[in-house]
Amino acid sequence: MSVSRWHCLIKSEAGRFTISDLGSRNGTIVNGLPVKEQILEHGNRVQVGEFRFLFLLDEEVPPISSQVQLDDGTLVARSAIQFCKENALYPDRVLATLPPTARTTRDLNALLKISRVINSIRKREPLQRQLLEMVLEVIPAERAAILLAERGQPEFTSVFGIDKDSGPDRPVRVSRTVVHQVIREGVAILSNDILETADGGIAESLATSQIHSLLCAPMAIFDQVMGVIYLDTGNRSVRFDPDDLQLLTAVASMAALALENVRDREELESENRRLQAEVEIQHSMVGESLRMREVYQFIGKVAPTDSTILIGGESGTGKELVARAIHLNSLRAAGPFVGINCAVLTESLLESELFGHEKGAFTGAIAQKKGKLEVAEGGTVFLDEVGELAPTIQAKLLRVLQEREFERVGATRPIKANIRLIAATNRDLLEAVGTGTFRQDLYYRLNVVSLTMPSLRERSEDIPLLARYFVGESSKRSRRRVMGISAEAIECLIHYDWPGNVRELQNTIERAVVLGSTELILAEDLPEVVLEKGPLTDVPVTKFYERVKEMKRNLVLTAMERAAGNYTEAAESLGMHRNNLHRLIRELGLKISRKKG
């Protein structure tokens, strides 16, 4: 079990959230690094065993706009009308009885226009603004607002208001009593000649706004009210009538689905951005051993600094992954991460790649080119196999570290280098300094802070975790369903030396996934070199593998003998493809001679 019974604690004090590890077996990981205690910030990634969480201080829901203010006064009106949803729309039976008046034609045209426009807008604020502006064209109100509530919750999470006379700076005051009644009962309300509050006094905010009449209609989807559309006016010559309420209720019904679709779209986009950000910033290292914990702690200490770092270790141990993790957790994370392998390019090409060149600097330089150091401005440069640098490039790199400037090949003007340098090597640079193949002064400039990556055999307890991880990744890439890896295969992997380290393990697992024939990686799916160098002790897996191998030999030899050496017939009798039979014979080391008949 990767999660301890008492693993970690998150507590809130003085408005801050702190996470503390409770001495768990596998540790508490924040942003890819193990922690004992740390203050959590919005967007932090927390890993507890195999479970990953995203810590959010808010859900990125738009705050209540300053364009709308809710008033708690209780309204009293001389006249009021309530429409239930059953008779608040324009059903076909009603349309059939409506006289063809200019008012009816105008309202129907308005509904058609609103329906067409709101279904073409994909952002919430433009949709709400356009909707309210069109409503105010046909209903003689001075102010309008849309208030959206969280599904099943009484409080509003998004509001938007328009005041025709005062513009966007003056907030629209909305009666909380009215909108809550509309949401609670699902009815539309019309109130004219608003007088005073129940205690005999005019509601101060409404008196200031001089509200005389108001309309409020529910926006509902599947019998659940998601918000309201609210209109009011202080003009005493204007009285809203049932036709206004009928029209507003029909508009609210159409707008509900459009706003719900927009809200769902925004939530999906927000979630997609969160997940994408999480994928982009998490490091790719896998391991929970003591040696890997030391690596994570090292990253946590050096990442916030700007120090030059030298990473040593055998090939395939993940030196570049550490460099990327340092960059992603540093203050330069927003800048580029530029890597270059110093061992794969000739001296002249490497010089051009690193420092760039001017047009005409050498044959083939037909245009100016920026080097890696210039491209990485504000970010991190990773030099892999730095021990392979030629003496002339070593001298130029030393200047970069000392003066923080360089020159393109063929240029005379220096260029400032605002970069962080991380170097890696699988060579013993001190030995290279002793033999004169590596500059001593450059070595000390690079070796400000150093880390030696552990080999895979030094952290064999991570092999099962790595193997299962690579099985999942290889299964996705090869599009072959593989559910896991057998205990016998794990035993073989643990006892192998892995001279190629994690990279060799990854290739071994990928081979087993591609060539295996079951949904589980078995011992016989592993390369011979892994099986031959297994444990010297009498481990059951060795006996098991030898017996399986002997059975395969007998089956193949018997099938070939019965088929008189005919590969196609033998393959058919074994229920396998001819090509797979050829491969199996090669793996078993069998020599097949075709009988002459």
Side-chain angles (χ1 to χ4, degrees), residues 456 459-468 493-494 498 505:
L456 189 53
R459 56 183 188 108
S460 57
E461 59 266 46
D462 286 332
I463 290 177
L465 187 62
L466 283 161
R468 294 187 181 98
L493 296 175
I494 291 176
W498 299 110
L505 174 61

Side-chain angles (χ1 to χ4, degrees), residues 233-486:
T233 181
N235 189 343
R236 293 189 174 275
S237 64
V238 174
R239 293 177 60 85
F240 297 136
D241 58 33
D243 287 339
D244 293 323
L245 185 59
Q246 186 88 320
L247 175 61
L248 182 63
T249 307
V251 170
S253 296
M254 291 191 304
L257 183 58
L259 282 167
E260 180 74 357
N261 289 338
V262 168
R263 184 158 65 177
D264 288 343
R265 182 188 180 95
E266 289 178 348
E267 289 178 359
L268 287 173
E269 289 176 347
S270 175
E271 183 67 14
N272 184 55
R273 285 193 298 269
R274 290 180 195 164
L275 294 174
Q276 189 65 35
E278 184 179 355
V279 169
E280 290 174 353
I281 63 178
Q282 66 181 358
H283 66 73
S284 301
M285 289 177 286
V286 177
E288 299 176 354
S289 62
L290 178 61
R291 293 300 303 273
M292 287 306 296
R293 289 177 186 276
E294 293 172 353
V295 171
Y296 301 147
Q297 291 171 356
F298 175 86
I299 294 171
K301 290 179 180 179
V302 303
T305 72
D306 225 9
S307 299
T308 302
I309 298 171
L310 179 62
I311 305 173
E314 299 175 7
S315 294
T317 52
K319 296 186 287 293
E320 183 172 350
L321 296 181
V322 172
R324 288 184 180 274
I326 292 172
H327 170 73
L328 291 172
N329 289 278
S330 72
L331 299 177
R332 295 178 176 269
F337 178 90
V338 179
I340 185 169
N341 191 323
C342 303
V344 299
L345 299 175
T346 63
E347 180 180 345
S348 58
L349 284 177
L350 181 59
E351 184 179 22
S352 175
E353 282 294 310
L354 273 177
F355 305 104
H357 62 253
E358 295 290 344
K359 180 180 180 181
F362 51 84
T363 304
I366 59 175
Q368 184 190 80
K369 176 187 175 182
K370 291 183 178 181
K372 300 291 187 183
L373 298 179
E374 197 169 350
V375 171
E377 175 71 14
T380 302
V381 173
F382 174 62
L383 298 181
D384 199 7
E385 305 299 348
V386 71
E388 306 300 323
L389 288 176
T392 54
I393 301 182
Q394 290 182 34
K396 286 192 171 186
L397 184 59
L398 179 64
R399 181 189 174 193
V400 173
L401 294 174
Q402 289 177 331
E403 308 297 335
R404 293 292 166 177
E405 65 180 26
F406 64 93
E407 295 173 359
R408 298 194 192 109
V409 177
T412 56
R413 181 178 61 86
I415 299 173
K416 291 295 182 182
N418 176 22
I419 61 169
R420 181 183 195 170
L421 189 67
I422 302 177
T425 180
N426 61 4
R427 294 181 56 188
D428 186 338
L429 289 189
L430 267 180
E431 182 180 336
V433 169
T435 60
T437 58
F438 200 84
R439 293 180 63 115
Q440 184 180 44
D441 47 3
L442 177 58
Y443 169 75
Y444 288 118
R445 284 286 182 179
L446 291 174
N447 195 33
V448 177
V449 183
S450 62
L451 168 72
T452 300
M453 286 296 293
S455 63
L456 189 53
R457 60 184 171 276
E458 293 178 284
R459 56 183 188 108
S460 57
E461 59 266 46
D462 286 332
I463 290 177
L465 187 62
L466 283 161
R468 294 187 181 98
Y469 172 79
F470 290 138
V471 166
E473 293 296 304
S474 298
S475 178
K476 292 176 186 176
R477 287 196 300 270
S478 63
R479 297 180 183 178
R480 193 175 87 79
R481 180 184 175 87
V482 180
M483 302 302 294
I485 185 167
S486 69

Side-chain angles (χ1 to χ4, degrees), residues 40-150:
L40 291 174
E41 298 180 354
H42 180 73
N44 281 168
R45 305 176 320 282
V46 179
Q47 181 175 346
V48 179
E50 298 176 356
F51 302 95
R52 293 178 179 176
F53 306 92
L54 191 63
F55 179 77
L56 301 175
L57 289 173
D58 60 77
E59 283 296 323
E60 300 181 5
V61 175
I64 290 183
S65 167
S66 60
Q67 296 171 303
V68 174
Q69 290 183 359
L70 292 170
D71 184 270
D72 293 317
T74 301
L75 298 182
V76 177
R78 285 199 179 96
S79 62
I81 299 176
Q82 293 186 6
F83 271 13
C84 297
K85 61 182 180 179
E86 288 78 9
N87 59 8
L89 305 178
Y90 282 115
D92 293 339
R93 57 184 174 81
V94 174
L95 285 175
T97 62
L98 288 175
T101 63
R103 174 73 177 270
T104 304
T105 303
R106 186 203 67 177
D107 289 353
L108 291 176
N109 286 333
L111 285 175
L112 181 62
K113 178 182 177 182
I114 290 172
S115 175
R116 183 175 63 251
V117 171
I118 65 177
N119 287 313
S120 65
I121 302 176
R122 294 291 179 265
K123 296 293 183 181
R124 190 187 307 185
E125 183 170 333
L127 173 58
Q128 293 178 130
R129 180 179 298 279
Q130 187 75 28
L131 177 62
L132 293 183
E133 288 175 351
M134 289 188 294
V135 168
L136 291 175
E137 288 178 3
V138 290
I139 297 179
E142 295 176 307
R143 290 165 292 273
I146 293 177
L147 299 91
L148 299 177
E150 189 64 38

Side-chain angles (χ1 to χ4, degrees), residues 153-165:
Q153 301 297 322
E155 295 303 318
F156 300 108
T157 57
S158 173
V159 297
F160 185 85
I162 293 179
D163 188 317
K164 288 174 63 176
D165 299 328

